[in-house]
Amino acid sequence: HSNLINIASVESAFDDPEGAFDYVINLAAETKYGQTDPVYQEGITKLSLNCGRVAAKRNVKIFIEASGSQMYSAEKVEDGEKPAPEDKKCEPWTFVAKHKLSVEKELALIPDLNVLFVRPAIVYGPGDRQGITPRLIIGAIYKYIREKMKMLWTKELKMNTVHVEDVCRALWYLCNHGKTGEVYHIVDKGDTTQGKISEIVSTIFNIEHEFVGSKMSTIAKLNMNNIVEEINDKHMEPWADACQRDNIMNTPLNPFIDQELLYNKHLHLDGTKLESLGFAYQKPELTIESMQEVLEDYLHTGLFPPSLLSDQKLWTKTSEEEEAEDGQ
């Protein structure tokens, strides 16, 4: 492990006793949402530029930069109906994506750097912590507290996806078939929506769900900070209770969802450019089986509390929750 924010560490990472690297794929970055600008400036911008400059100096044949896909600010359903091609005007709607776009522009200016960029959709699969897994955890929590799962906006909200194995396959494919200077979306064929994800989660945990709709969500948007804090607090208490019950003292998982990810922004990508090179997806759409695989993997590694899946009533509402219900 090296700290790639340090240029000396980057130089060391490129040294290999067997010779120079032909291909370099940069997947390193600060990916946690809700951080400060200086954190992203170092963990995304500085890190990627360090890697790009050293790659150019070492005459790497192909340098692939993993960028972000939260680039196109489509809010209306009609805006989200047509998937965004790679050349659509970028209006990044998260701080991570803003810094990723800055990196794309600056890497393209480095002399002798044979760079191409990928913008993956929401990545899921074994090991996923920030893609769809938080929604999987939240579904389990609503089973645990025996309530209907309610979500902002509508079932039509586009949340396009791609399996991690297809991401890996696409990266290697582009090493051999990609064109430098180009941007490629990596997105499956399923045209995943918030509705589809919620249906799968609800089926896995045998719970009910509903969407509060655009009007109520727009009202909530006026007080988004407090709404998001309440939502996360509601989820964190039973999560902590289940972890304690199952003696899970340390897990990278949690149900926290950052405010940036709760905006009414369609993530709807056109993936035909990559497919036109001959690439084909082995996992063309999100399925119940693929989501269960993620859940079972975390259960097996002891990072996900099995109490959340119990059919027994284990969670007792707090006095604040009971008072709130009485007052409704």
Side-chain angles (χ1 to χ4, degrees):
H1 294 285
S2 297
N3 178 5
L4 300 180
I5 296 172
N6 184 329
I7 191 68
S9 297
V10 179
E11 294 279 5
S12 298
F14 275 74
D15 289 332
D16 189 280
E18 296 183 12
F21 292 106
D22 291 324
Y23 309 119
V24 173
I25 301 169
N26 181 34
L27 297 165
E30 174 57 69
T31 57
K32 187 176 181 181
Y33 294 97
Q35 304 301 294
T36 61
D37 189 73
V39 170
Y40 293 129
Q41 188 63 37
E42 283 224 318
I44 295 178
T45 308
K46 184 177 180 181
L47 183 153
S48 291
L49 293 179
N50 280 350
C51 293
R53 287 170 182 140
V54 175
K57 189 166 70 172
R58 302 292 183 103
N59 298 313
V60 168
K61 291 179 182 177
I62 294 289
F63 180 85
I64 299 181
E65 174 71 15
S67 190
S69 58
Q70 295 151 335
M71 295 287 187
Y72 319 103
S73 293
E75 290 195 9
K76 297 177 182 177
V77 174
E78 53 267 32
D79 293 335
E81 282 178 359
K82 189 175 181 181
E86 287 84 350
D87 59 358
K88 182 177 180 179
K89 181 184 176 182
C90 289
E91 298 175 285
W93 47 274
T94 66
F95 287 111
V96 168
K98 287 174 184 175
H99 284 271
K100 287 288 190 181
L101 182 59
S102 172
V103 164
E104 287 186 22
K105 293 176 179 177
E106 294 193 51
L107 284 177
L109 298 176
I110 296 177
D112 303 318
L113 180 62
N114 302 313
V115 62
L116 63 87
F117 307 94
V118 295
R119 295 177 185 163
I122 299 171
V123 181
Y124 71 96
D128 164 40
R129 289 188 290 169
Q130 295 187 155
I132 297 180
T133 297
R135 289 175 182 261
L136 194 64
I137 294 170
I138 289 167
I141 286 170
Y142 279 97
K143 177 181 177 68
Y144 191 64
I145 65 177
R146 301 190 170 204
E147 290 183 21
K148 181 186 287 187
M149 182 170 66
K150 297 181 180 180
M151 283 152 293
L152 292 172
W153 310 112
T154 68
K155 66 180 182 180
E156 289 82 18
L157 185 66
K158 302 288 187 180
M159 295 181 65
N160 286 183
T161 53
V162 63
H163 194 280
V164 64
E165 291 178 8
D166 277 328
V167 173
C168 295
R169 292 178 56 252
L171 289 169
W172 180 244
Y173 194 87
L174 285 168
C175 285
N176 296 283
H177 302 281
K179 183 180 178 182
T180 57
E182 295 293 322
V183 178
Y184 298 92
H185 289 157
I186 308 179
V187 55
D188 66 29
K189 307 283 285 179
D191 195 22
T192 310
T193 60
Q194 180 172 234
K196 181 173 183 177
I197 294 170
S198 302
E199 285 286 351
I200 289 175
V201 169
S202 296
T203 300
I204 290 173
F205 298 115
N206 192 27
I207 60 172
E208 295 182 344
H209 72 275
E210 69 177 13
F211 302 95
V212 300
S214 295
K215 288 184 179 179
M216 287 297 293
S217 297
T218 302
I219 294 171
K221 189 178 178 181
L222 300 174
N223 191 25
M224 202 63 161
N225 284 336
N226 290 339
I227 294 290
V228 171
E229 187 176 340
E230 286 178 18
I231 291 171
N232 283 319
D233 285 347
K234 180 182 177 71
H235 298 157
M236 288 300 289
E237 285 188 37
W239 170 256
D241 181 80
C243 286
Q244 186 175 21
R245 190 181 299 276
D246 294 324
N247 200 32
I248 297 176
M249 297 294 106
N250 189 17
T251 174
L253 304 178
N254 69 67
F256 183 87
I257 295 184
D258 191 82
Q259 181 174 326
E260 287 185 302
L261 301 181
L262 293 175
Y263 296 143
N264 185 33
K265 301 288 187 180
H266 291 276
L267 203 160
H268 195 197
L269 307 177
D270 186 335
T272 55
K273 184 175 180 179
L274 174 58
E275 291 179 273
S276 70
L277 300 179
F279 182 78
Y281 291 87
Q282 290 185 350
K283 298 184 183 294
E285 65 177 331
L286 181 70
T287 63
I288 291 177
E289 291 76 19
S290 60
M291 291 296 289
Q292 285 175 322
E293 180 188 20
V294 175
L295 176 61
E296 288 164 9
D297 180 58
Y298 279 128
L299 285 167
H300 177 71
T301 53
L303 299 174
F304 190 103
S307 289
L308 289 182
L309 311 182
S310 175
D311 289 325
Q312 294 181 301
K313 189 175 187 298
L314 300 175
W315 170 252
T316 303
K317 292 179 180 177
T318 63
S319 57
E320 288 86 355
E321 287 177 311
E322 289 178 346
E323 288 175 8
E325 286 188 0
D326 291 340
Q328 288 178 348

